[in-house]
Amino acid sequence: MTTDHHNPDLPATALAVLGLLSFGPMSGYDLKQAADRSIRHFYWSPAKSQIYAELRRLRGAGLVTEEHVEQETRPDKRVYAITDEGRLKLRAWLNSDNYEPDMHKSTTLLKLFFGNNADLAALIRTLEQDLESKQKMLTELREAEAACKATDPVFTLLTIRAGLAYAGASISWAEETIATLRGLEMTHPGTRKGRNER
Amino acid sequence: MTTDHHNPDLPATALAVLGLLSFGPMSGYDLKQAADRSIRHFYWSPAKSQIYAELRRLRGAGLVTEEHVEQETRPDKRVYAITDEGRLKLRAWLNSDNYEPDMHKSTTLLKLFFGNNADLAALIRTLEQDLESKQKMLTELREAEAACKATDPVFTLLTIRAGLAYAGASISWAEETIATLRGLEMTHPGTRKGRNER
DNA sequence: GTCGACATGTAACCAGTTACATGATTAA
DNA sequence: TTAATCATGTAACTGGTTACATGTCGAC
């Protein structure tokens, strides 16, 4: 051991912060923005309070260094940089093959699953909002794809492609499903229209 | 108000439990299994301890009733049933149009994004495991699709279709991405092979 | 006689959010 | 002068997991 602290396994969130710092030194504020621009699309975006908490954790484990930077025109900041030990830890995690299946939490699908208890019109409305949100995602990702082309690491592009595939599939599904529900609306007219049955 | 308790908005998890009870009375144990069979695929599967906690919450709010059922051959159980008030609450939630975007947390994509710090072979391994997991998901969903056809509510089928769309898109993406990474492996042979660069 | 299904729960913990608190600079 | 951006953090809380604790019955 090069330092006095031992190594309890880090949660993925801490490793995500460490990963972002592998691109270069940043303040907590910078990290929040970097996360919102990148990993929020396929992982998640932490509250800033948690970012600061993770930074303390990483510093305590000797994986990042903290440097106080004074500024005249802006408030002072603390800039964090990944250490050699941090790079090793990051690399060890990336190379380890403990596969974690991804999780997917869709309130829209949850509502649809309980659709028997809902009004069709409301379900359709929810699906339309979902469709809209996925279409927005698609256009944003297309812009991102165009913007990153040249200089960036390949890996950015590959993750964008994953998003594009997902958005595309979601859009087709939502369109079909809306059509199906509209069909039901026609064949069961007047059912559950403001009345409370049973 | 029909009861003495007021109505602080319920978290989606509580509503998910309530929704499952809309299919019929169940014990906590039954609920855990029902969740694992259905909503775990598109929402999430709670620890049993949390199921019991949610049931207490719902009972406290008068949305479910609890009945102690004695059994000779099995341990006694507590069977929960949705109340009229519970059905109203569920319906109100389903019909409300506060859209919540779904969340997607993929450790695989997170690792890929930081791919510059990893060995290509390890990345490929991770992607292969992801591919495998999605293929398994696809076959399971195909079985589920075949099994549910006749009697079940349409909504079950619609959510299965969402899963099928997602699995299909993920598989294509993973295959392409693995191919791309294998290409990189050929063009940059020997790079980062056990050495520590920098 | 051992394992798995049935059945319920507590305690301790970790993860993560929201609201609060502070305060300077700059552009509209 | 008002709002946005820069900048960091604490406190209180909710959500959710893991490990522990207990016990019966039926099948192999």
Side-chain angles (χ1 to χ4, degrees), chain A residues 13 16 18 106 194:
Chain A
T13 299
L18 196 57
S106 167

Side-chain angles (χ1 to χ4, degrees), chain B residues 155-198:
Chain B
F155 304 106
T156 305
L157 186 59
L158 295 175
T159 55
I160 290 174
R161 293 263 166 81
L164 287 168
Y166 170 64
S170 300
I171 287 171
S172 308
W173 172 83
E175 285 169 346
E176 278 172 44
T177 305
I178 288 170
T180 304
L181 294 184
R182 281 209 234 276
L184 287 179
E185 220 180 7
M186 306 292 271
T187 51
H188 300 292
T191 319
R192 304 178 192 261
K193 264 278 171 53
R195 308 174 152 280
N196 55 345
E197 68 296 327
R198 101 120 274 118

Side-chain angles (χ1 to χ4, degrees), chain B residues 25-78:
Chain B
M26 283 186 260
S27 67
Y29 189 90
D30 296 332
L31 277 163
K32 170 65 176 154
Q33 292 190 135
D36 280 346
R37 259 182 282 111
S38 55
I39 64 177
R40 88 156 307 198
H41 295 109
F42 46 79
Y43 192 70
W44 134 105
S45 180
K48 47 192 173 141
S49 58
Q50 203 195 348
I51 297 231
Y52 292 114
E54 296 299 349
L55 284 172
R56 277 194 291 278
R57 186 209 302 256
L58 292 171
R59 207 191 74 218
L63 305 175
V64 303
T65 57
E66 179 187 297
E67 190 200 357
H68 190 96
V69 175
E70 289 179 30
Q71 302 184 118
E72 318 93 42
T73 94
R74 295 289 177 200
D76 294 358
K77 39 160 126 177
R78 298 169 188 214

Side-chain angles (χ1 to χ4, degrees), chain A residues 32-100:
Chain A
K32 170 66 176 155
Q33 293 190 137
D36 280 344
R37 260 183 281 109
S38 55
I39 65 178
R40 89 155 307 201
H41 294 109
F42 47 80
Y43 194 69
W44 136 103
S45 179
K48 48 192 174 143
S49 59
Q50 204 194 347
I51 297 229
Y52 292 114
E54 296 299 348
L55 285 171
R56 276 193 293 278
R57 186 211 300 259
L58 291 171
R59 206 191 74 220
L63 305 175
V64 303
T65 57
E66 180 187 296
E67 191 201 357
H68 190 97
V69 175
E70 289 178 32
Q71 303 184 114
E72 319 93 42
T73 94
R74 295 291 177 196
D76 294 358
K77 39 160 129 177
R78 298 170 188 213
V79 173
Y80 295 87
I82 190 168
T83 63
D84 286 348
E85 216 185 327
R87 285 202 189 269
L88 284 176
K89 189 84 177 177
L90 177 61
R91 172 172 286 265
W93 173 64
L94 292 171
N95 285 344
S96 76
D97 81 338
N98 53 347
Y99 174 71
E100 267 186 73

Side-chain angles (χ1 to χ4, degrees), chain A residues 132-149:
Chain A
E132 213 179 300
S133 135
K134 297 293 159 54
Q135 278 163 340
K136 194 179 153 206
M137 184 182 165
L138 186 66
T139 59
E140 281 174 5
L141 284 169
R142 282 213 251 255
E143 285 166 25
E145 190 189 23
C148 90
K149 271 282 165 58

